[in-house]
């Protein structure tokens, strides 16, 4: 760490560890430099995670997370060589706050509850992404030796991640074993999965598919690939349970937050989507200067690149990817709402492609969300999407 005065002169430098002793040492150095509860010394870091960082935020001081690419550009202002060291980076971060603190925004002062919601929502989103990856691995693997399994669970509403598929593949991981399954064994596997309706129809369908004529691998290879299927199904089981458990925990935490009522008033936002959105935008009302800042943060507003006679409008790629992913789910859930669907259709009729029309609706709803959170109002679709005035 490096501590500089108002003139940029180095006051002290020290290498501290990311533990309790290092944290106490850092606080002592700040106190020696004049740090007080009424006027805490701001701190700049590159990576906004870790226990030391969390404890610094808990002190109530302003903490800035500076993008490493921005730090690299600042470093080049003082030296042309590409030399790099921890001390030089610490000095660069300190001088960024000294000279340009007004152009950087401190990390939001989010409440403890919304930080917990963010942890649960992000973990659930990671579990969903992990589940999707495992489904793709399992599908690719089954295609190599067990196409009957793909045909058996290629049903609307029932995929390889369904409880039925996982239960059947656990007892029949290869074509030979599946073909030998009796109706009683299939019935038991389906009941164990939790299925209660149309069990006999499922039994007959699976029997027909598993005893059908398909290409096969050599017997030993087939059994080996079946063992690999068991391993993938076990991992998929864990991922599905994790996603479900974390979804329930995130929804429960979201319901306890005061902003949950406002977010839930928006069409397309359920408990899980609401937890994801709230976890990313936080509950610090001063985090975003205006609705445009929130839209840029979510990637809903385009980027204009203008130079001379050239002017190009592009989709924003630098954004909060998690909030953008939550927004995609949000808009799909909101489209059945008549006024929102009308806005989407209007953009499509104006020549927008599907993605552009979805971004337009997302942009509009984010502006409404910012206004509602700032004013404490519930969402009113008639105000958000007023009927266009008729031209005389």
């Amino acid at each position: 760490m490096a501590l500089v005065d108002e003139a940029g002169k180095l006051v002290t430098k020290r290498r501290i560890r990311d533990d309790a002793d290092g944290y106490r040492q850092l606080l002592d150095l700040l106190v020696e430099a004049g740090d007080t509860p009424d006027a805490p010394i701001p701190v700049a870091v590159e990576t906004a995670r870790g226990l030391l960082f969390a404890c610094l935020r808990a002190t109530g001081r302003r903490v800035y997370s500076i993008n490493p690419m921005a730090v690299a550009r600042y470093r080049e202002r003082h030296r042309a060589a590409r030399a790099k060291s921890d001390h030089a980076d610490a000095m660069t971060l300190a001088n960024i706050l000294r000279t340009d603190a007004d152009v950087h925004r401190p990390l939001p002062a989010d409440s403890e509850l919304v930080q917990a919601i963010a942890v649960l929502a992000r973990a659930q989103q990671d579990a969903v992404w992990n589940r999707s990856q495992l489904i793709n691995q399992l599908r690719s693997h089954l295609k190599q030796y067990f196409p009957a399994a793909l045909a058996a669970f290629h049903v609307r509403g029932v995929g390889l991640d369904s409880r039925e598929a996982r239960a059947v593949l656990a007892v029949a991981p290869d074509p030979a074993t599946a073909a030998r399954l009796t109706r009683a064994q299939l019935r038991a596997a389906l009941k164990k999965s939790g299925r209660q309706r149309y069990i006999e129809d499922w039994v007959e369908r699976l029997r027909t598919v598993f005893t059908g004529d398909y290409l096969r691998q050599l017997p030993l290879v087939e059994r080996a690939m079946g063992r690999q299927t068991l391993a993938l199904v076990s991992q998929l089981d864990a991922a599905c349970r994790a996603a479900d458990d974390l979804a329930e925990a995130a929804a429960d935490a979201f319901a306890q937050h005061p902003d949950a009522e406002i977010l839930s008033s928006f069409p397309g936002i359920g408990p899980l989507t609401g937890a994801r959105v709230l976890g990313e935008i936080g509950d610090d009302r001063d985090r975003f200067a205006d609705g445009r800042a929130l839209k840029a943060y979510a990637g809903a507003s385009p980027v204009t690149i203008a130079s001379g006679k050239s002017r190009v409008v592009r989709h924003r790629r630098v954004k909060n990817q998690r909030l953008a992913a939550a927004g995609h789910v949000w808009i799909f859930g909101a489209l059945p709402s008549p006024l929102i669907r009308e806005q989407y259709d209007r953009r499509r009729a104006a020549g927008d492609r599907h993605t552009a029309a979805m971004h337009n609706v997302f942009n509009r709803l984010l502006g409404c969300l910012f206004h509602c959170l700032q004013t404490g109002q519930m969402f009113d679709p008639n105000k958000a999407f007023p009927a266009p005035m008729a031209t005389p």
Side-chain angles (χ1 to χ4, degrees):
M1 60 84 65
L3 188 64
V4 300
D5 60 16
E6 294 181 355
K9 182 180 179 181
L10 180 65
V11 175
T12 183
K13 68 175 182 178
R14 193 74 55 85
R15 184 178 293 275
I16 60 174
R17 299 193 304 270
D18 188 10
D19 56 17
D21 291 336
Y23 176 65
R24 284 191 290 268
Q25 188 179 15
L26 175 59
L27 291 184
D28 291 341
L29 291 173
L30 292 175
V31 170
E32 291 175 7
D35 183 78
T36 63
D38 296 331
I41 297 175
V43 176
V45 297
E46 278 192 6
T47 305
R49 61 173 180 268
L51 283 171
L52 183 64
F53 165 77
C55 292
L56 278 174
R57 288 190 69 184
T59 62
R61 72 182 66 249
R62 289 178 298 164
V63 179
Y64 295 79
S65 178
I66 312 297
N67 189 292
M69 294 182 64
V71 176
R73 301 291 82 78
Y74 273 99
R75 191 189 305 122
E76 292 172 358
R77 294 169 58 182
H78 302 284
R79 62 186 67 184
R82 295 184 178 273
K84 186 180 185 302
S85 67
D86 292 340
H87 172 63
D89 286 348
M91 284 290 295
T92 302
L93 286 167
N95 280 299
I96 288 174
L97 287 192
R98 182 179 66 86
T99 61
D100 294 328
D102 56 325
V103 299
H104 295 277
R105 295 183 65 83
L107 290 168
D110 289 330
S111 66
E112 182 179 355
L113 176 57
V114 86
Q115 292 182 55
I117 292 172
V119 170
L120 292 170
R122 290 171 182 173
Q124 199 276 336
Q125 200 168 36
D126 288 339
V128 170
W129 289 338
N130 183 41
R131 182 180 64 189
S132 299
Q133 185 178 22
L134 287 169
I135 292 171
N136 291 334
Q137 290 180 14
L138 180 59
R139 180 180 293 108
S140 178
H141 178 62
L142 291 174
K143 188 176 180 180
Q144 300 300 316
Y145 83 109
F146 197 0
L150 296 177
F153 299 106
H154 186 63
V155 182
R156 184 177 182 180
V158 179
L160 290 176
D161 62 327
S162 65
R163 293 174 298 175
E164 294 87 350
R166 286 180 278 143
V168 172
L169 288 175
V171 297
D174 58 74
T177 305
R180 291 196 301 267
L181 286 179
T182 63
R183 288 179 174 82
Q185 290 173 322
L186 284 170
R187 191 178 299 111
L190 290 170
K191 288 183 178 179
K192 184 179 179 180
S193 72
R195 172 161 285 276
Q196 298 178 353
R197 303 177 62 186
Y198 308 113
I199 290 181
E200 294 305 321
D201 294 341
W202 266 85
V203 167
E204 294 303 323
R205 181 177 176 277
L206 291 177
R207 281 277 298 169
T208 301
V209 173
F210 289 153
T211 57
D213 185 21
Y214 296 93
L215 298 178
R216 300 275 292 271
Q217 292 276 1
L218 296 173
L220 287 179
V221 176
E222 192 175 81
R223 285 198 293 272
M225 298 182 84
R227 293 297 297 270
Q228 184 179 354
T229 294
L230 289 176
L232 288 172
V233 169
S234 178
Q235 295 177 59
L236 183 57
D237 268 330
C240 290
R241 286 196 302 271
D244 293 341
D245 293 344
L246 288 167
E248 183 178 355
D252 290 342
F254 172 69
Q256 300 173 30
H257 198 279
D259 291 343
E261 188 176 3
I262 294 176
L263 281 159
S264 299
S265 67
F266 281 75
I269 291 188
L272 182 55
T273 304
R276 289 180 179 178
V277 172
L278 180 59
E280 297 306 323
I281 67 175
D283 55 5
D284 182 359
R285 294 292 183 260
D286 297 325
R287 179 174 189 174
F288 303 104
D290 49 31
R292 293 177 61 186
L294 174 58
K295 295 173 183 179
Y297 181 68
S301 59
V303 176
T304 301
I305 302 174
S307 177
K309 296 182 179 180
S310 173
R311 186 176 184 273
V312 180
V313 180
R314 295 178 178 174
H315 173 60
R316 188 179 296 270
R317 297 187 181 277
V318 179
K319 57 190 174 183
N320 184 314
Q321 299 291 347
R322 293 183 182 275
L323 181 55
H328 187 72
V329 177
W330 175 9
I331 301 308
F332 263 113
L335 279 180
S337 177
L339 290 177
I340 293 179
R341 182 71 192 195
E342 183 179 344
Q343 173 69 14
Y344 170 83
D345 292 339
R346 188 182 303 120
R347 297 300 306 182
R348 291 284 283 160
D352 284 358
R353 302 180 69 176
H354 168 73
T355 303
M358 294 281 282
H359 273 101
N360 180 271
V361 175
F362 185 35
N363 185 289
R364 190 77 166 266
L365 287 177
L366 280 175
C368 297
L369 177 60
F370 178 82
H371 175 76
C372 290
L373 289 174
Q374 292 292 330
T375 59
Q377 299 182 45
M378 299 297 168
F379 176 73
D380 185 347
N382 294 311
K383 292 182 179 179
F385 298 94
M389 297 181 62
T391 57

